[in-house]
Amino acid sequence: MNTIFSVTQKQLYDFLLNVAPVRPVFIWGAPGIGKSAIVENFASELGLPCVSLLGSQLAPEDIIGVPQIKDGYSVFCPPKMIARNEPYCLFLDELNACSQEVQKAFYSLIHEQRIGEFILPEGTIVIGAGNRAQDSAIVKPMSSALINRMVHVQLRASHRDWLEWAYAHEIHPYVIEYIQMRPDHLWSEPPKTEEPFSTPRSWHMLSDCLYAYGKSLGETDIDILASSCLSPHTASQFKAFLKQIQSKYDLAKIINGELRWPDQPDERDLLYFMAQSLRAQLIKELPTEHTTLKANQRQLAFRAKDLIKDLSAISLEIAQMVVAEHKGEALPAWFMLEVIRDLPRLVAKKDG
């Protein structure tokens, strides 16, 4: 479902507010990105109870009910969870993880809001959600008949929306500060192997664990918690970030020339994190086109070239990492041209 238009958490809420009352909606998205939480909050805002059914755990009779003999006729009795007298939000989670037989049981429920002779209360909202095939999750092909009964939208992670939520829900300050510095680490693609990976949900779990340890949190505890919740690369960067907090080093001071790069052998993880942070800041703040460059951005670009030169003297590999393209993200082409052109001159000037 890569062709579906993707939206942020806030955009999805507005979409549901306008579309869900008139048509059933299906939300595609990676695990841990916040699909369930958004639907539950949406229902709460509307004053509707949210009834969740987990598609991967359903059998057809859980939807259509079981037959009983009444006046000589068989009558299907719908499940109590669904057969309610007042309107509610019916959330069909992991809908595309259920079997083809269960999918068929949903046809009339989704399209006509009806199960046999029982009609859902007027004002009831039906929303489905599920992971994508590329997410290494339990998913099954969704029949074309079921797809065509719903309006589809894809949810993507937004660090701005998530940070706003994180402040409101008092997520641990370490987590908030880290995502502010490295918003690209909020979410990572689910791995093909069985290992933790970074999602908004896993950062929330890490926050709870950090609070649980409280003041007794030690370096070993941080190693264990970060590795237990986050992608391996992000976990190592988060540990280096906390080490940076406890040290004298600060990226702003390094950029301003108040401090130099950490250059001791036992500071290599810290150096790597600071260099990654510089790269992230350059990608975020430098414009794509040189013609739109502002004075402060020009000053940052000039200083960054000096810092990359100094960094290469400590670790050529880490300096190359700063300027290399990674996962489709690269420094602006005009800046790379200046680095290639000016770096030999800067080195020669220093040697002279």
Side-chain angles (χ1 to χ4, degrees):
M1 280 293 172
N2 291 328
T3 58
I4 297 175
F5 192 84
S6 64
V7 296
T8 66
Q9 289 92 327
K10 281 188 175 181
Q11 290 172 330
L12 176 58
Y13 185 87
D14 291 339
F15 182 86
L16 292 176
L17 191 62
N18 287 280
V19 177
V22 295
R23 286 291 180 179
V25 173
F26 189 87
I27 306 167
W28 298 86
I33 206 170
K35 301 183 294 296
S36 301
I38 289 175
V39 173
E40 290 168 3
N41 290 338
F42 168 74
S44 178
E45 288 288 330
L46 294 184
L48 296 175
C50 186
V51 176
S52 297
L53 298 180
L54 203 58
S56 57
Q57 299 178 4
L58 294 175
E61 56 268 24
D62 295 322
I63 308 302
I64 61 177
V66 293
Q68 287 187 351
I69 303 299
K70 186 176 181 181
D71 297 330
Y73 296 95
S74 64
V75 179
F76 276 87
C77 298
K80 185 177 179 180
M81 285 186 65
I82 298 177
R84 296 179 169 230
N85 297 323
E86 300 295 330
Y88 63 99
C89 177
L90 178 59
F91 180 40
L92 309 176
D93 200 5
E94 298 184 8
L95 176 58
N96 58 338
C98 61
S99 67
Q100 293 292 321
E101 292 302 314
V102 175
Q103 287 188 28
K104 287 191 292 184
F106 277 121
Y107 284 0
S108 61
L109 174 62
I110 290 174
H111 187 57
E112 302 171 347
Q113 294 200 355
R114 176 180 58 83
I115 306 171
E117 297 179 0
F118 177 80
I119 298 175
L120 299 185
E122 186 177 354
T124 295
I125 292 174
V126 179
I127 300 175
N131 302 133
R132 306 161 303 175
Q134 67 263 38
D135 292 325
S136 300
I138 300 175
V139 296
K140 297 178 181 178
M142 189 183 295
S143 70
S144 58
L146 188 56
I147 289 176
N148 198 238
R149 281 168 161 80
M150 295 177 287
V151 180
H152 297 261
V153 67
Q154 184 167 208
L155 177 64
R156 69 174 187 271
S158 163
H159 70 275
R160 291 184 179 86
D161 289 0
W162 189 84
L163 283 171
E164 184 176 325
W165 172 89
Y167 275 114
H169 289 79
E170 298 183 344
I171 295 299
H172 198 284
Y174 285 165
V175 172
I176 290 178
E177 189 173 347
Y178 182 82
I179 297 300
Q180 285 176 326
M181 182 175 290
R182 294 306 308 269
D184 54 317
H185 284 182
L186 175 62
W187 177 82
S188 62
E189 289 279 356
K192 301 303 180 184
T193 54
E194 297 172 341
E195 62 184 31
F197 59 101
S198 304
T199 67
R201 178 166 59 202
S202 65
W203 282 110
H204 191 182
M205 291 191 297
L206 178 59
S207 170
D208 289 344
C209 295
L210 292 172
Y211 274 129
Y213 271 85
K215 295 182 179 179
S216 66
L217 186 68
E219 186 174 344
T220 302
D221 302 322
I222 293 171
D223 288 348
I224 295 172
L225 293 178
S227 300
S228 300
C229 297
L230 308 174
S231 304
H233 172 72
T234 303
S236 65
Q237 291 291 282
F238 183 74
K239 290 182 285 186
F241 161 73
L242 295 185
K243 186 175 180 179
Q244 176 249 319
I245 288 179
Q246 298 162 1
S247 72
K248 64 178 181 179
Y249 292 103
D250 180 84
L251 181 61
K253 291 182 178 180
I254 292 177
I255 293 176
N256 293 336
E258 301 174 40
L259 292 174
R260 299 177 64 85
W261 291 114
D263 57 2
Q264 297 303 308
D266 61 347
E267 298 176 324
R268 194 48 55 98
D269 58 340
L270 181 57
L271 176 66
Y272 184 83
F273 171 74
M274 302 298 289
Q276 283 271 24
S277 299
L278 173 65
R279 169 187 164 82
Q281 183 167 340
L282 293 177
I283 291 176
K284 178 182 177 181
E285 296 191 13
L286 294 183
T288 304
E289 299 296 331
H290 186 270
T291 53
T292 62
L293 197 63
K294 298 178 182 178
N296 61 323
Q297 294 170 330
R298 187 181 302 277
Q299 184 177 2
L300 174 61
F302 182 81
R303 177 59 181 154
K305 287 182 289 185
D306 264 348
L307 290 174
I308 293 171
K309 176 198 66 175
D310 294 341
L311 183 60
S312 65
I314 303 172
S315 170
L316 180 60
E317 181 182 1
I318 294 180
Q320 290 172 332
M321 174 275 300
V322 172
V323 299
E325 181 177 347
H326 180 64
K327 292 184 178 180
E329 287 190 331
L331 298 173
W334 63 265
F335 177 76
M336 289 302 303
L337 287 174
E338 290 189 6
V339 170
I340 296 171
R341 182 192 66 208
D342 294 349
L343 191 54
R345 178 179 63 81
L346 292 173
V347 174
K349 181 178 180 181
K350 182 175 180 179
D351 293 342

